[in-house]
Amino acid sequence: MTELDGHRRTLRVALLGAGSVGSQVARLLLAHGADLSERSGATLELAGILVRDVNAPRDAELPRELLTTDAEALILGADIVIELMGGIEPARGYVLQALRSGADVVTGNKALLATHGAEIFEAADQVGASVSYEAAVAAAIPIIRPLRDSLAGDRIERIFGIVNGSTNFILDSMDRQGLSAEEAQRIATDLGYLEADPTLDLEGFDAAQKAAILASLAFHTQVSIDDVHREGISSVTADMIEDARRAGYVIKLLAVCERLSEPAGDAVSVRVYPALIDRDHPLASVHGGNNAVFVEAEAAGPLMFYGAGAGGVQTASAVLGDVVSAARRHIAGGVGVGESARQSLPIAPFGHITTRYQITIEVADVTGVLATVAGILSDHGVSIATALQTVEGGEDSKTARLVIGTHRATEQALSDTVARLADSAAVTRVVSVLRVEGE
Ligand code: NDP
Ligand code: HSE
């Protein structure tokens, strides 16, 4: 595998995937090969690029002679394997095969790490190889290395932010340009922001996978995708965005990872959902395909990481940073950095989480309705902070819209309240229930 190039070793790099990200990694690796080799201390040779179809139309800059469908041969001859195929299989099998043959692995595959991370890190540990995945969370933003290395001496309490570029692009385009969700999704697709299966983005799976990875690193415990409470943006309508704007908010898909003090000791809560953010909050200014992640650490205090959260060339930057660092390890020797999940913190029940809510309901515009609604909230210990009633359709209308802002309440109390409201004869329709975050 490793050869000598003059006095410098040559490391063979296998690239699995030549899509939005892989094609940019190949282009940059070839264009800046000399610089990257200088930084790595080894000559990096792109040995081959695995694709499904070598004859499919591709970017003219991609060297067609390197394309192959022979995964086995490509992986077996490699020192560093870059996995940018996406999905679980065959990516999982190829990554394990690479590690077992002693290669270092670089991947941007959050779906794989959030479901099979433990197995992959275990395989790396057994041979002392490294698994690097800076691109798996928030694309170009350096967040994995800061959590794993720079903040390793601190105690992280909370991570909070926007970790999905395509849904941020869609919500932002609906809010600022009045685009329909479909139109915004089409543009995001052209920009290479969406996963091969867009449901992963729209239904919050991609953000949940990233949240699981962040929480595992931050709290040194194992969090898998199944531990994450997940809601996507498919239920967010243009009307909800307009209502939010009138109330001084913007809707963002948020990921929240928290260390909680439960009666039995520390626990972890990881959740993804669309939420209202005050227009003055820094997250409200995260536009387009950008991401922003806030980290709150005991000693460091609050930190903010911001930048491109999706896109082929932007993500290639994170991938190549990992390639350089894997090459350095290969040259220096020694074992790769292992997984930091050494604790087994329990996952806090979702019903225990507290936040503020905005409940929008349509009610019959008759005497006593407000008292009935207030009574239902009070029965469940949900305290009203603000209430705004507007009569729809003028003086003769029989329907009013009521927007209730609550003080902090538990998810359990909130869901019980909403169920009672939905059943109440006073309420015609529950229009929306959104959490209010970032305050
Ligand atoms: P694409 O769908 O654009 O590209 C996937 C590539 O993998 C294609 O070249 C495809 O080959 C190849 N491939 C897929 N399955 C197989 C298979 N079974 N055998 C051989 N080759 C295969 O994906 P992206 O580049 O967008 O994403 C790659 C990874 O990076 C994913 O894990 C994604 O989550 C992650 N990521 C993506 C970001 C983005 O902004 N796009 C940002 C951060 C991470 P072919 O070309 O022949 O179809
Ligand atoms: N589909 C992902 C997103 C790509 O929209 O954030 C970056 O991980």
Side-chain angles (χ1 to χ4, degrees):
M1 285 189 255
T2 308
E3 291 161 18
L4 281 177
D5 169 21
H7 292 299
R8 198 156 48 187
R9 284 167 67 185
T10 296
L11 298 180
R12 290 169 63 82
V13 179
L15 176 58
L16 314 185
S20 301
V21 185
S23 60
Q24 293 298 326
V25 167
R27 183 179 68 78
L28 293 173
L29 198 50
L30 293 170
H32 304 311
D35 282 349
L36 294 176
S37 297
E38 275 304 316
R39 284 171 221 163
S40 306
T43 299
L44 300 176
E45 179 198 323
L46 183 55
I49 307 173
L50 183 76
V51 290
R52 267 180 298 227
D53 177 5
V54 291
N55 297 315
R58 302 197 184 266
D59 193 306
E61 286 185 62
L62 201 71
R64 299 194 78 93
E65 67 281 7
L66 290 182
L67 298 183
T68 177
T69 53
D70 188 347
E72 295 269 324
L74 182 59
I75 293 168
L76 269 180
D79 299 293
I80 298 173
V81 173
I82 310 174
E83 185 276 305
L84 292 169
M85 299 162 55
I88 306 298
E89 292 293 356
R92 172 181 156 277
Y94 293 162
V95 163
L96 291 173
Q97 189 185 338
L99 291 170
R100 285 173 190 147
S101 70
D104 288 305
V105 166
V106 173
T107 179
N109 193 335
K110 50 265 168 162
L112 180 62
L113 293 175
T115 42
H116 295 281
E119 181 188 23
I120 286 167
F121 291 116
E122 168 77 29
D125 267 0
Q126 279 174 7
V127 292
S130 69
V131 179
S132 313
Y133 50 100
E134 188 60 72
V137 179
I141 305 174
I143 182 70
I144 298 299
R145 214 176 293 270
L147 286 176
R148 199 191 60 190
D149 298 336
S150 323
L151 290 164
D154 210 331
R155 179 183 157 96
I156 294 170
E157 301 294 348
R158 194 165 194 259
I159 297 181
F160 162 77
I162 297 167
V163 295
N164 183 271
S166 49
T167 50
N168 196 60
F169 182 91
I170 293 168
L171 293 173
D172 187 47
S173 305
M174 290 169 79
D175 177 58
R176 292 199 304 150
Q177 293 162 37
L179 296 190
S180 69
E182 294 72 26
E183 213 173 336
Q185 186 181 329
R186 207 167 35 248
I187 301 171
T189 306
D190 290 344
L191 290 167
Y193 290 174
L194 283 140
E195 297 300 307
D197 172 6
T199 318
L200 295 176
D201 293 300
L202 303 178
E203 297 302 339
F205 290 99
D206 177 87
Q209 290 156 359
K210 292 166 176 168
I213 293 170
L214 290 177
S216 301
L217 264 178
F219 306 131
H220 308 285
T221 191
Q222 245 165 45
V223 178
S224 93
I225 179 76
D226 298 331
D227 298 322
V228 183
H229 173 91
R230 174 194 54 79
E231 296 169 36
I233 65 159
S234 57
S235 59
V236 177
T237 62
D239 282 350
M240 284 162 74
I241 286 178
E242 191 49 41
D243 284 350
R245 170 199 296 284
R246 274 195 239 113
Y249 292 114
V250 60
I251 299 179
K252 296 287 188 188
L253 184 70
L254 295 185
V256 185
C257 313
E258 270 178 331
R259 188 195 292 274
L260 297 178
S261 287
E262 292 274 295
D266 270 7
V268 164
S269 163
V270 189
R271 48 202 199 264
V272 164
Y273 42 57
L276 295 168
I277 294 282
D278 194 288
R279 283 193 174 259
D280 290 333
H281 191 280
L283 283 181
S285 313
V286 177
H287 298 306
N290 286 316
N291 285 183
V293 183
F294 289 88
V295 177
E296 292 168 20
E298 190 180 85
L303 304 164
M304 181 177 174
F305 299 81
Y306 169 81
V313 70
Q314 296 88 339
T315 307
S317 160
V319 173
L320 289 172
D322 278 349
V323 170
V324 169
S325 118
R328 286 176 182 157
R329 187 203 78 78
H330 230 88
I331 295 302
V335 295
V337 182
E339 192 190 15
S340 74
R342 298 277 180 253
Q343 299 184 42
S344 301
L345 296 178
I347 302 297
F350 187 61
H352 292 191
I353 305 309
T354 67
T355 185
R356 292 182 51 217
Y357 303 89
Q358 183 169 289
I359 307 169
T360 304
I361 51 180
E362 278 173 10
V363 294
D365 187 22
V366 294
T367 314
V369 162
L370 268 180
T372 305
V373 168
I376 293 174
L377 271 83
S378 160
D379 286 351
H380 295 282
V382 179
S383 165
I384 297 176
T386 57
L388 176 70
Q389 181 178 323
T390 48
V391 177
E392 311 237 297
E395 282 299 296
D396 298 333
S397 171
K398 292 278 178 280
T399 308
R401 180 176 275 228
L402 196 53
V403 181
I404 302 165
T406 76
H407 288 294
R408 286 188 90 85
T410 65
E411 283 288 337
Q412 191 59 58
L414 191 273
S415 66
D416 292 346
T417 302
V418 172
R420 277 273 306 281
L421 287 172
D423 277 351
S424 165
V427 176
T428 323
R429 186 165 75 98
V430 176
V431 178
S432 65
V433 180
L434 283 166
R435 297 162 187 96
V436 183
E437 289 279 6
E439 301 193 327

